[in-house]
């Protein structure tokens, strides 16, 4: 790490060491995994409970692999707990209005807090970073209302800082593409149901199998929008790839297949 990044990491560890026992909300992405790693380093794994919200909003692949994935970066002694959550119990979530993320985040984190309370742990961390504060993220309101602590913000970490620090520490998560729950692919004000989510999962799995990791598929009526990492745009532009992908989506009921040419950042 360079001097500036070393300073931020030292500040983070110092801040974390002021706590005794904590919970860390962890999606398996680079931000929350890096934070969980830092917590285990500062407090010892016995004093850190890593919580994953196990729900139908995640792909089955992630749900099945999360414990092994986290063990690679946190060590086999890490205390990872899968907490079963059901956002579909919240009518406002199913309705899928602009407050969907707020409703879901508050429900999931309230479940985490209840679990931690049973262990007499009162502190829950999440992996929000400085860049997240610049975006429109309704979930941040839930974090504030529930008193969730965001140590990466306090220590001044931006997304790129986290990736560089994770890479310097040799964490497998360092190059993982950013991701979000499957519900984010569905157009606002279109009701969410499990059938819709599984269809999106199947379409994204098809692209993953062709090597397009970090993709997102957004169905809209008879159209589908595909977002890929910027480095994959050239690959999908070949005639053979386009033909195979168009055929797959048309077989699944989408007459028009559209590609976001700007590409996604990791």
């Amino acid at each position: 790490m360079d001097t500036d990044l070393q300073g931020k990491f030292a500040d983070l560890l110092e801040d974390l060491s002021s706590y005794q026992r904590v919970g860390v909300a962890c999606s398996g992405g680079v931000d929350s995994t890096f934070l969980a790693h830092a917590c285990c380093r500062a407090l010892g794994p016995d004093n850190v409970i890593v919580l994953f919200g196990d729900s139908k909003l995640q792909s089955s692949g992630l749900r099945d692999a999360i414990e092994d994935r986290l063990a690679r970066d946190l060590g086999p002694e890490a205390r990872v707990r899968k907490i079963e959550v059901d956002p579909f119990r919240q009518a406002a979530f199913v309705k899928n209005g602009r407050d969907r993320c707020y409703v879901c985040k508050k429900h999931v984190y309230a479940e985490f807090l209840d679990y931690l309370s049973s262990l007499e742990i009162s502190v829950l961390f999440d992996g929000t970073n400085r860049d997240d504060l610049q975006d429109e993220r309704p979930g941040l309101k839930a974090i504030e209302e529930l008193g969730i602590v965001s140590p990466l913000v306090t220590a001044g970490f931006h997304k790129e800082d986290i990736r560089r620090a994770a890479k310097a520490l040799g964490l497998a998560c360092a190059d993982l593409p950013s991701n979000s729950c499957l519900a984010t692919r569905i157009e606002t004000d279109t009701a969410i149901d499990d059938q819709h989510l599984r269809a999106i999962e199947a379409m994204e799995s098809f692209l993953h199998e062709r090597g397009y990791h970090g993709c997102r598929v957004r169905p809209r009526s008879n159209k589908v929008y595909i977002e890929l990492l910027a480095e994959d745009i050239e690959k999908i532009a070949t005639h053979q790839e386009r033909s195979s992908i168009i055929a797959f989506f048309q077989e699944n009921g989408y007459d028009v297949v559209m590609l976001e040419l700007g590409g996604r950042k990791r």
Side-chain angles (χ1 to χ4, degrees), residues 144-202:
E144 181 179 353
E145 289 178 356
L146 292 172
I148 311 303
V149 182
S150 301
L152 298 179
V153 171
T154 303
F157 276 85
H158 293 269
K159 186 75 171 188
E160 186 56 32
D161 297 329
I162 295 167
R163 288 201 183 278
R164 290 193 296 120
K167 193 163 190 175
L169 292 167
L171 303 186
C173 66
D175 291 324
L176 282 177
S178 60
N179 200 4
S180 56
C181 81
L182 295 172
T184 62
R185 310 334 187 227
I186 300 174
E187 191 171 18
T188 301
D189 296 325
T190 298
I192 301 171
D193 59 45
D194 185 57
Q195 183 178 2
H196 207 166
L197 295 177
R198 302 285 69 81
I200 293 169
E201 178 181 4

Side-chain angles (χ1 to χ4, degrees), residues 83-214:
I83 307 299
E84 187 173 344
V85 292
D86 184 9
F88 288 96
R89 288 164 44 193
Q90 311 296 313
F93 169 80
V94 174
K95 186 178 178 182
N96 194 22
R98 294 192 176 277
D99 63 345
R100 179 205 67 240
C101 187
Y102 163 78
V103 171
C104 183
K105 183 78 74 176
K106 192 160 187 177
H107 170 68
V108 172
Y109 279 11
E111 293 283 339
F112 287 1
L113 289 169
D114 284 346
Y115 177 78
L116 292 174
S117 178
S118 72
L119 303 176
E120 298 184 344
I121 298 174
S122 60
V123 179
L124 176 61
F125 292 159
D126 94 313
T128 299
N129 65 66
R130 287 287 181 96
D131 291 335
D132 294 331
L133 303 182
Q134 309 305 314
D135 298 334
E136 183 181 351
R137 291 178 178 255
L140 293 176
K141 181 183 175 184
I143 289 171
E144 181 179 353
E145 289 178 356
L146 292 172
I148 311 303
V149 182
S150 301
L152 298 179
V153 171
T154 303
F157 276 85
H158 293 269
K159 186 75 171 188
E160 186 56 32
D161 297 329
I162 295 167
R163 288 201 183 278
R164 290 193 296 120
K167 193 163 190 175
L169 292 167
L171 303 186
C173 66
D175 291 324
L176 282 177
S178 60
N179 200 4
S180 56
C181 81
L182 295 172
T184 62
R185 310 334 187 227
I186 300 174
E187 191 171 18
T188 301
D189 296 325
T190 298
I192 301 171
D193 59 45
D194 185 57
Q195 183 178 2
H196 207 166
L197 295 177
R198 302 285 69 81
I200 293 169
E201 178 181 4
M203 290 186 285
E204 292 188 354
S205 293
F206 166 78
L207 292 174
H208 291 161
E209 290 168 3
R210 299 187 75 89
Y212 298 104
H213 301 289

